[in-house]
Amino acid sequence: MDIDYSGIKVIGFDADDTLWVNETYFREAEEKFADLLEHYETKNKVDQELFRMEMKNLELYGYGIKGFVLSMIESALELSNNNINQTTITKILNLGKEMISRPVELLDGVVEVLGKLEKQYRLIVLTKGDLLDQERKLEKSGLSKYFHHVEVLSDKQPENYQNLLDHLEIPVNEFLMIGNSLKSDVLPIVELGAQAIHVPFHTTWAHEEVPVEEQTNNHLTVGKLSDVLKYLN
Amino acid sequence: MDIDYSGIKVIGFDADDTLWVNETYFREAEEKFADLLEHYETKNKVDQELFRMEMKNLELYGYGIKGFVLSMIESALELSNNNINQTTITKILNLGKEMISRPVELLDGVVEVLGKLEKQYRLIVLTKGDLLDQERKLEKSGLSKYFHHVEVLSDKQPENYQNLLDHLEIPVNEFLMIGNSLKSDVLPIVELGAQAIHVPFHTTWAHEEVPVEEQTNNHLTVGKLSDVLKYLN
């Protein structure tokens, strides 16, 4: 495994669950959603059906809170056989509004890491999801000043990354991506021939899980974000 | 009024209702939504309340179909005093899915205009709304090949445009914007000192309307898109 980062000039950071907490809020919303449906199904069944609905709708809705809320409403109607109380629909809408309005909670070490790395590297944010939500979170985070460029992608397939590197004129051998998702932040980057550091978050959305046989050794995994400084300073 | 475009090197095109039909589909969805609520309120009242709800939610949801659907559901609950039938909620969800899945209908003259202008100018798309929806529409439209760059903005305030011109290193005096919305495509551009051509579409969303006293003379208005060729060739 090549962990020689001497040629790296640009570092891309994922945002959700790399710079700030995100997945935890979805898990909390799912808990509340299951509570709202407890008269109809077990928590396990509700979780399973909501995930199935999200996957069914992913191509149409994409990533982000608004699509998640629409899938919760559709699941609630389906799981209750259209018996769900109308006020429960309002509660689901409010769950989404609360998620959108939450303050941004930075992960440990983020400010220290960005403050050190910005002196030697050009830093960019590469996140997927809802454009407005991500812009708002970056603004609330106070982290904008560390980044030369912020790009919200509709997805993180190799071609999304390649288009962006082309647009920003970044050679692949000068690029390093840091993120919590093997599927979105590491594997597509390794496929392009660039480098990636995986910083796992304690919670991973099932959609972002990668079967062991598809994992790769061509990247570094660290236990916490500040560990990257051991390799980049 | 300065309509000397000899210094222009880059032309930005709005997309919705400039390159392809969009507002019409929202109007059709609103018609169907009013039909679903006809037992509770008049069409006029439903339209008015839905618009009020969209404005209330705009800061949270931003532009795009998903936020529109969430606002329709919230309005339906409110206007029916929580008596709306659960199956009607499903019908509202389906209205949104149909909107997202619609084929793209190009406006008259678009292919001719882009085909001619791309020989002399660098063309870019500057649209606001949902990132995934806009990328999908551009792909369905077959127009990607004409554009050097596509940018989906969360809003079209002067600072959104300025950031983008800075990022793409486009001097304001070399930039011309073409679009259907006075509020989003013309006024902020004129404010920056760049040029704009207004191509009105037959339908304008109330949120995009501009009071007469805030309108500006510092732009050209044409009756249809292909008229721009008279000034740019």
Side-chain angles (χ1 to χ4, degrees):
Chain A
M1 183 173 66
D2 177 15
I3 53 160
D4 170 16
Y5 297 140
S6 58
I8 297 301
K9 293 184 180 165
V10 182
I11 301 178
F13 281 85
D14 172 56
D16 288 340
D17 302 319
T18 298
L19 301 178
W20 52 65
V21 176
N22 176 65
E23 198 53 31
T24 311
Y25 302 155
F26 278 87
R27 289 295 89 75
E28 287 173 12
E30 285 166 11
E31 294 279 335
K32 291 176 186 165
F33 179 69
D35 289 345
L36 292 173
L37 289 172
E38 65 183 354
H39 300 306
Y40 301 103
E41 286 292 352
T42 63
K43 170 161 172 41
N44 190 45
K45 174 76 174 168
V46 172
D47 277 355
Q48 189 184 321
E49 287 302 305
L50 175 57
F51 182 66
R52 192 190 56 74
M53 188 63 79
E54 286 181 83
M55 290 304 102
K56 193 191 86 170
N57 289 333
L58 188 60
E59 203 189 325
L60 278 181
Y61 293 156
Y63 300 96
I65 296 171
K66 285 176 285 189
F68 176 64
V69 176
L70 291 169
S71 288
M72 280 197 286
I73 294 172
E74 190 173 349
S75 287
L77 292 163
E78 204 173 282
L79 286 165
S80 71
N81 204 13
N82 283 328
N83 286 312
I84 193 84
N85 197 292
Q86 290 86 343
T87 58
T88 305
I89 306 281
T90 298
K91 287 178 187 163
I92 295 170
L93 289 170
N94 289 338
L95 277 182
K97 291 184 178 184
E98 283 160 25
M99 289 175 82
I100 294 172
S101 307
R102 277 190 91 134
V104 167
E105 190 182 339
L106 295 185
L107 292 174
D108 283 347
V110 164
V111 170
E112 178 202 2
V113 166
L114 296 178
K116 287 197 174 156
L117 294 181
E118 72 160 344
K119 292 174 188 140
Q120 281 180 265
Y121 301 94
R122 192 150 62 101
L123 307 185
I124 62 181
V125 177
L126 299 180
T127 171
K128 74 180 173 191
D130 185 83
L131 181 60
L132 180 63
D133 284 351
Q134 297 294 6
E135 286 182 357
R136 181 164 24 214
K137 283 192 273 188
L138 193 71
E139 199 188 319
K140 283 186 194 169
S141 75
L143 299 176
S144 303
K145 61 185 174 190
Y146 297 110
F147 296 105
H148 280 75
H149 183 76
V150 175
E151 189 79 25
V152 182
L153 302 163
S154 60
D155 204 353
K156 283 181 163 179
Q157 302 292 328
E159 56 269 29
N160 302 95
Y161 283 111
Q162 186 65 61
N163 290 341
L164 186 76
L165 294 180
D166 290 349
H167 170 58
L168 297 178
E169 297 176 353
I170 302 169
V172 287
N173 60 348
E174 296 180 3
F175 184 67
L176 167 70
M177 181 75 193
I178 297 177
N180 74 296
S181 169
L182 262 187
K183 183 174 179 177
S184 295
D185 305 319
V186 174
L187 298 186
I189 292 293
V190 169
E191 189 176 325
L192 292 182
Q195 304 225 44
I197 298 181
H198 184 213
V199 190
F201 187 63
H202 56 74
T203 307
T204 303
W205 185 27
H207 175 63
E208 296 289 319
E209 283 170 1
V210 177
V212 174
E213 64 274 19
E214 289 175 25
Q215 294 183 14
T216 164
N217 289 318
N218 298 313
H219 69 274
L220 181 68
T221 300
V222 296
K224 58 182 191 301
L225 187 63
S226 57
D227 289 344
V228 304
L229 295 177
K230 297 179 197 163
Y231 303 92
L232 291 164
N233 258 322
Chain B
M1 184 171 69
D2 177 15
I3 55 160
D4 171 17
Y5 298 141
S6 57
I8 298 301
K9 294 185 180 166
V10 182
I11 301 177
F13 281 87
D14 171 57
D16 288 340
D17 303 319
T18 298
L19 301 177
W20 53 64
V21 177
N22 177 65
E23 199 53 31
T24 311
Y25 302 155
F26 278 85
R27 290 294 91 74
E28 288 173 13
E30 285 166 9
E31 294 279 336
K32 290 177 188 165
F33 179 69
D35 289 345
L36 291 174
L37 288 173
E38 65 183 353
H39 301 307
Y40 301 103
E41 286 293 353
T42 63
K43 170 161 170 39
N44 189 45
K45 174 77 173 167
V46 172
D47 278 355
Q48 189 183 320
E49 287 302 306
L50 175 57
F51 181 67
R52 193 190 55 76
M53 188 64 79
E54 286 180 83
M55 291 305 100
K56 193 191 85 172
N57 288 333
L58 188 60
E59 201 189 326
L60 278 181
Y61 294 156
Y63 300 96
I65 296 171
K66 284 176 286 188
F68 176 64
V69 176
L70 291 169
S71 288
M72 280 197 286
I73 293 172
E74 190 173 348
S75 287
L77 292 163
E78 204 173 283
L79 286 166
S80 72
N81 204 10
N82 282 328
N83 286 312
I84 193 83
N85 197 292
Q86 289 86 344
T87 59
T88 304
I89 306 280
T90 298
K91 286 177 187 162
I92 295 171
L93 288 170
N94 289 339
L95 278 183
K97 290 184 178 183
E98 283 160 24
M99 289 176 81
I100 294 172
S101 308
R102 278 191 92 133
V104 167
E105 190 182 339
L106 295 185
L107 291 174
D108 284 347
V110 165
V111 171
E112 179 203 2
V113 166
L114 296 178
K116 289 199 173 153
L117 294 182
E118 71 159 346
K119 290 172 189 144
Q120 282 180 264
Y121 302 93
R122 192 149 63 101
L123 307 184
I124 62 181
V125 178
L126 298 181
T127 172
K128 74 180 174 191
D130 186 84
L131 181 62
L132 181 63
D133 284 352
Q134 296 295 6
E135 285 182 357
R136 180 164 27 213
K137 283 192 272 188
L138 194 72
E139 199 187 320
K140 283 185 190 169
S141 75
L143 299 177
S144 303
K145 61 185 174 190
Y146 296 110
F147 296 104
H148 279 76
H149 183 74
V150 175
E151 190 78 25
V152 182
L153 303 163
S154 59
D155 204 352
K156 283 181 164 179
Q157 302 293 328
E159 57 269 30
N160 302 98
Y161 282 111
Q162 187 66 62
N163 289 342
L164 186 75
L165 293 180
D166 290 348
H167 170 57
L168 298 178
E169 296 175 352
I170 303 169
V172 286
N173 60 346
E174 295 181 4
F175 184 66
L176 168 69
M177 181 75 194
I178 298 178
N180 73 297
S181 169
L182 263 186
K183 183 174 179 177
S184 294
D185 305 319
V186 174
L187 298 187
I189 293 293
V190 169
E191 189 177 326
L192 291 181
Q195 304 225 45
I197 298 181
H198 184 213
V199 191
F201 188 62
H202 55 73
T203 306
T204 303
W205 185 27
H207 175 63
E208 296 289 320
E209 283 169 1
V210 177
V212 174
E213 64 274 17
E214 289 175 23
Q215 294 182 16
T216 167
N217 289 316
N218 299 313
H219 69 274
L220 181 68
T221 300
V222 297
K224 58 183 195 299
L225 188 65
S226 57
D227 290 343
V228 305
L229 295 177
K230 297 179 197 164
Y231 302 92
L232 291 165
N233 258 324

